[in-house]
Amino acid sequence: MTKANSTLEILLPLALRHGYDYLPPPDILMPIRGQIVEVPLGRRREWGVVWGQGQGDVDPAKLKTIHAIADLPVLPVPLCQFIDWVADYTLAPRGMVLKMVFGTKAHLRTKKARKVFSAPRLKPDHITPTLNSAQQKATDALLALQRQQKFTVSLLDGVTGSGKTEVYMEAIAETLRRGEQALVLFPEIAMTTALVERFTARFGAKPILWHSDIGAAERYAAWHQILSGEASLIIGARSALFLPMPKLGLIVVDEEHEASYKQDESVTYHARDMAIVRAHLQKCQIILASATPSLETMINCQNGKYNHLQLPFRFGTATLPEIKLLDLRDKKMRATEFLSPELRANLIKTHAVGQQAMLFLNRRGYAPLTLCRHCGHRMRCQSCNSWLTLHQSKNKFLCHHCGYHEPAVTTCPACKQEGYMAASGPGVERLCEEVQSFMPAARLAMMTSDSMASPKAAKDLLEKMTAGDIDILIGTQMMAKGFHFPNLAFVGVVDADFALGGGDPRAAERMFQLLQQVSGRAGRAHIEGSVAIQTCQPQHKVMQALAKGDRDMFYAAELEERKQYRLPPFARLAALILSGADEVAVEKAARKIIAKAPKIEGLEILGPAPAPLSFRRGLHRWRILVISEKPLSSILQNWLSACPRPRQIDLHIDIDPYSFY
DNA sequence: AGCACGCCGACT
DNA sequence: GTCGGCGTGCTC
């Protein structure tokens, strides 16, 4: 008979809700919680973490003994609590969250050969920055909070170019002085050489970088430096939030409003929200920075939960651009043209005085739809219910939802008629063509995820733009990200209506943030900037707030609407997505779940219905939306555990969904 | 995540 | 006859 408490629960980095029970190693000291150990599993060995006492309900004959204790520091207690918290909140198996902490098995495998790495020491006072009065005031507030050594949330709210980075760098400096670790999260970090250089210049040595493009050797070294506490400053994408930082003293989430902080695959978590939880468990300060804060963050400032620190002015002499709305409804434009006479005139004028312009359209490729004017056939994806986008630069039709592509054709695949295939709607490639038609001498370049795919291509493009070798940059939201082009005077938004009116409760907010960010590209140095926005809905609150430069007006109106319709941040959402190859089976599984829905006051269930993208990557998808006043995790846990479903049907639980495809 | 087990098609 | 495809299920 095994005593219930003589075993240890070992959490393994596998898709398991709980750890497995193991006997402690015979002749070694009893391992403690957070200790990394190697255990036998089946006929292999696996690294895991001591999670606590064993359950004690396992057949003693099955019990195996811990094989070895890793020669590594113990995972910090607040990190173990964080793993539990994230798993409970997202309904992900605990083991999958641990897997994110481990990063890759390679970090643990080569235990004997593990080299000793030493991280360069960062100097908190390498340079003494010059701050303006608003920056100094915000810095003083952050430093005062940082010295309290407790959980506090601050929003660093400042327009593009107001110098937020310099301010939070001072909070980082204070963290370094105390010998603690600072973590800075960015939404996209792949092309941030300029950013790393700023940190290196400020602290006299390179910070640790953490994102998906980091090579195995560098990643391995970084992980061990972080766990040993040697690495003091970590700059990373959302996955860096799960790094084992034993001396974590500060978290910064830059561009906190960015939707790319939400992970939709595997464990679905929002890195900004989880960062706040980690700071809470760690009892440390967290700083959110943005020029266009999320509504969630704004309401927490309004009700006093967060410290609201504002940087109202642009650094130096730069001013904010004037924004003008161009009502597309009174323009008589051809179906093959997308730039109104006013927008064209603006481009020509800007070019004539030797300044740069930018055209923003959130559509990659040449045209979002190609159809046959003879038989009406439309080019569509075989694995998704979506149109194929024509990419002229690649001479291909591409599906933007899966990897599917096929060669571009001029003969209709359905009726075999030649010369009837017609592009419908604009893409950035088509805009290039249009601009070139009336400005043949202008030098154009495209900036999209396609043209920024390789770091070298991205660097070349940015250098050309900064050097003035490009007159007009035409691109997608890729352009909205904090690039600084000193000679950029005019920004044209080709279609500001693209996302409004869908089923996404955050569509207006996202649109406002995106257009504000795009607009912020104009007039960043000594040039006065201007912005023109083409829209069919000039009365929409997003457009009105942009034109008036009145951010508060937008937030107030949007908050009122969210409150009225019980949407976030006034209610909690969860999306249950069922998918499978057999459409009938998917629907059946969805209806089974609905049949077992709990009756709880304040809990609203919408659906089941085919998901907005009801067929994707060869799988049929049905969706159930859950809206609740109370936290959803435990409700869903109880509800769904009573809903068995066939193996062929996948259930994806998305807590706080941001994607409504 | 591995790794075995198991139940059907084509090969030394 | 058996080699091997990958669906299904288990690992304390």
Side-chain angles (χ1 to χ4, degrees):
Chain A
M1 208 51 182
T2 313
K3 274 185 289 171
N5 58 3
S6 68
T7 59
L8 291 167
E9 181 188 3
I10 308 299
L11 187 62
L12 299 163
L14 308 174
L16 298 166
R17 303 225 148 257
H18 299 285
Y20 284 156
D21 285 9
Y22 285 90
L23 293 164
D27 45 296
I28 321 174
L29 276 175
M30 188 75 161
I32 54 164
R33 176 163 161 91
Q35 185 82 61
I36 300 172
V37 295
E38 198 181 27
V39 294
L41 180 73
R43 44 174 55 223
R44 66 200 154 115
R45 281 195 185 136
E46 196 73 48
W47 289 101
V49 175
V50 178
W51 218 244
Q53 300 243 300
Q55 293 292 109
D57 56 358
V58 184
D59 175 5
K62 278 169 85 176
L63 276 179
K64 292 181 182 175
T65 305
I66 291 172
H67 177 254
I69 295 178
D71 179 22
L72 286 170
V74 172
L75 292 190
V77 171
L79 177 58
C80 295
Q81 296 169 331
F82 183 58
I83 292 170
D84 281 336
W85 202 97
V86 172
D88 287 343
Y89 187 81
T90 62
L91 281 86
R94 252 165 197 62
M96 291 304 279
V97 185
L98 175 65
K99 202 179 161 195
M100 299 198 288
V101 171
F102 277 0
T104 148
K105 273 180 195 166
H107 295 150
L108 304 155
R109 198 170 286 153
T110 53
K111 53 167 186 175
K112 271 274 147 64
R114 192 156 47 82
K115 283 181 268 175
V116 179
F117 299 99
S118 60
R121 182 155 302 176
L122 275 66
K123 304 181 199 78
D125 302 298
H126 181 65
I127 57 160
T128 316
T130 321
L131 302 173
N132 66 26
S133 63
Q135 285 179 311
Q136 191 60 57
K137 206 176 146 198
T139 300
D140 292 345
L142 288 180
L143 289 184
L145 290 166
Q146 186 61 9
R147 289 188 191 111
Q148 287 181 15
Q149 305 203 39
K150 62 173 196 187
F151 170 63
T152 56
V153 189
S154 300
L155 168 65
L156 196 50
D157 176 6
V159 295
T160 44
S162 61
K164 295 184 290 289
T165 314
E166 288 79 3
V167 172
Y168 69 64
M169 275 182 174
E170 293 318 296
I172 294 171
E174 181 62 21
T175 310
L176 298 181
R177 276 180 214 116
R178 288 224 303 264
E180 293 178 344
Q181 294 171 301
L183 171 70
V184 185
L185 297 181
F186 282 90
E188 278 149 54
I189 196 130
M191 43 180 189
T192 49
T193 44
L195 184 86
V196 175
E197 279 162 18
R198 285 175 81 182
F199 281 92
T200 309
R202 172 62 184 82
F203 298 111
K206 275 190 183 171
I208 299 278
L209 264 188
W210 190 269
H211 57 82
S212 57
D213 283 346
I214 297 292
E218 193 180 343
R219 179 177 293 266
Y220 180 85
W223 195 82
H224 285 281
Q225 285 166 21
I226 291 162
L227 180 58
S228 72
E230 243 182 303
S232 52
L233 175 58
I234 301 110
I235 312 281
R238 60 177 183 232
S239 63
L241 181 61
F242 293 90
L243 286 167
M245 294 163 284
K247 296 193 280 183
L248 182 60
L250 174 70
I251 303 177
V252 177
V253 183
D254 206 337
E255 309 290 352
E256 67 87 23
H257 62 278
E258 277 286 331
S260 54
Y261 277 123
K262 180 67 199 295
Q263 172 148 78
D264 289 321
E265 256 107 69
S266 174
V267 183
T268 61
Y269 65 93
H270 196 298
R272 181 241 296 143
D273 297 347
M274 295 305 110
I276 291 165
V277 172
R278 185 153 187 194
H280 180 78
L281 294 167
Q282 188 75 32
K283 300 181 179 68
C284 75
Q285 173 165 221
I286 177 164
I287 300 168
L288 311 178
S290 177
T292 53
S294 63
L295 258 83
E296 282 83 352
T297 297
M298 281 306 260
I299 198 158
N300 279 314
C301 287
Q302 282 176 18
N303 60 32
K305 285 187 184 165
Y306 297 178
N307 304 290
H308 195 178
L309 307 171
Q310 279 170 296
L311 295 175
F313 309 111
R314 281 198 166 188
F315 200 81
T317 54
T319 52
L320 282 172
E322 189 200 327
I323 299 178
K324 200 178 152 196
L325 301 180
L326 301 177
D327 190 346
L328 278 183
R329 291 170 305 179
D330 26 85
K331 309 281 184 298
K332 288 198 189 71
M333 281 161 56
R334 277 184 252 165
T336 53
E337 288 179 351
F338 307 96
L339 303 176
S340 63
E342 288 93 331
L343 197 49
R344 290 180 176 215
N346 274 313
L347 289 174
I348 293 166
K349 200 180 101 197
T350 308
H351 187 223
V353 296
Q355 294 177 336
Q356 288 172 309
M358 192 181 249
L359 274 184
F360 170 69
L361 175 70
N362 219 5
R363 273 193 211 123
R364 293 159 55 214
Y366 186 84
L369 167 66
T370 304
L371 49 82
C372 172
R373 277 173 299 166
H374 187 260
C375 74
H377 176 76
R378 295 170 169 219
M379 299 302 296
R380 45 169 42 244
C381 179
Q382 292 146 5
S383 318
C384 311
N385 57 4
S386 63
W387 310 127
L388 292 175
T389 303
L390 174 61
H391 282 244
Q392 222 160 48
S393 58
K394 295 176 176 142
N395 202 29
K396 274 177 185 163
F397 288 115
L398 256 65
C399 174
H400 288 180
H401 298 287
C402 69
Y404 180 77
H405 58 87
E406 61 182 59
V409 287
T410 52
T411 305
C412 175
C415 70
K416 312 293 179 204
Q417 292 288 320
E418 166 68 29
Y420 285 93
M421 299 306 283
S424 177
V428 287
E429 292 180 359
R430 196 170 193 178
L431 281 184
C432 274
E433 198 177 86
E434 183 174 344
V435 173
Q436 206 77 85
S437 75
F438 65 88
M439 296 178 74
R443 295 163 299 173
L444 312 181
M446 269 187 287
M447 186 167 174
T448 65
S449 54
D450 304 293
S451 69
M452 300 286 276
S454 82
K456 191 189 177 298
K459 194 167 164 268
D460 288 353
L461 182 59
L462 295 176
E463 277 173 5
K464 274 176 86 177
M465 185 67 187
T466 312
D469 296 339
I470 295 167
D471 299 316
I472 302 173
L473 191 63
I474 300 172
T476 59
Q477 62 184 349
M478 193 107 263
M479 291 192 312
K481 312 295 164 214
F483 301 115
H484 179 63
F485 303 125
N487 199 34
L488 184 71
F490 174 72
V491 170
V493 177
V494 179
D495 174 15
D497 305 323
F498 61 89
L500 294 174
D504 184 347
R506 290 188 186 84
E509 176 187 353
R510 210 173 295 179
M511 167 81 79
F512 181 77
Q513 287 159 343
L514 186 54
L515 294 185
Q516 185 131 314
Q517 301 257 341
V518 176
S519 304
R521 299 306 107 208
R524 284 174 61 87
H526 303 290
I527 296 175
E528 234 172 82
S530 73
V531 178
I533 298 177
Q534 296 192 144
T535 176
C536 290
Q537 305 173 65
Q539 293 313 311
H540 195 283
K541 62 188 169 186
V542 168
M543 305 307 155
Q544 285 298 310
L546 283 165
K548 294 190 176 123
D550 191 345
R551 199 185 76 170
D552 294 343
M553 182 184 106
F554 172 74
Y555 281 116
E558 183 68 8
L559 275 173
E560 192 46 50
E561 193 171 319
R562 300 267 189 101
K563 197 178 211 163
Q564 200 177 328
Y565 292 103
R566 284 203 335 141
L567 291 168
F570 299 99
R572 294 153 190 274
L573 288 186
L576 312 179
I577 307 274
L578 288 131
S579 62
D582 181 349
E583 192 175 1
V584 178
V586 172
E587 181 183 345
K588 210 171 134 189
R591 297 205 182 281
K592 258 190 184 158
I593 289 180
I594 285 293
K596 296 221 175 177
K599 308 254 183 307
I600 298 172
E601 203 182 307
L603 184 79
E604 194 184 340
I605 294 155
L606 304 178
L613 194 66
S614 63
F615 183 54
R616 194 181 73 173
R617 296 171 187 268
L619 298 174
H620 296 276
R621 308 165 76 232
W622 276 61
R623 186 180 72 175
I624 296 165
L625 264 181
V626 187
I627 306 166
S628 169
E629 278 154 20
K630 289 184 213 118
L632 273 166
S633 302
S634 63
I635 295 172
L636 288 175
Q637 183 72 67
N638 293 333
W639 172 11
L640 297 171
S641 62
C643 299
R645 73 211 129 67
R647 292 273 165 228
Q648 303 89 325
I649 306 289
D650 183 66
L651 170 63
H652 185 245
I653 304 165
D654 190 352
I655 303 280
D656 305 330
Y658 272 66
S659 164
F660 287 81
Y661 276 112

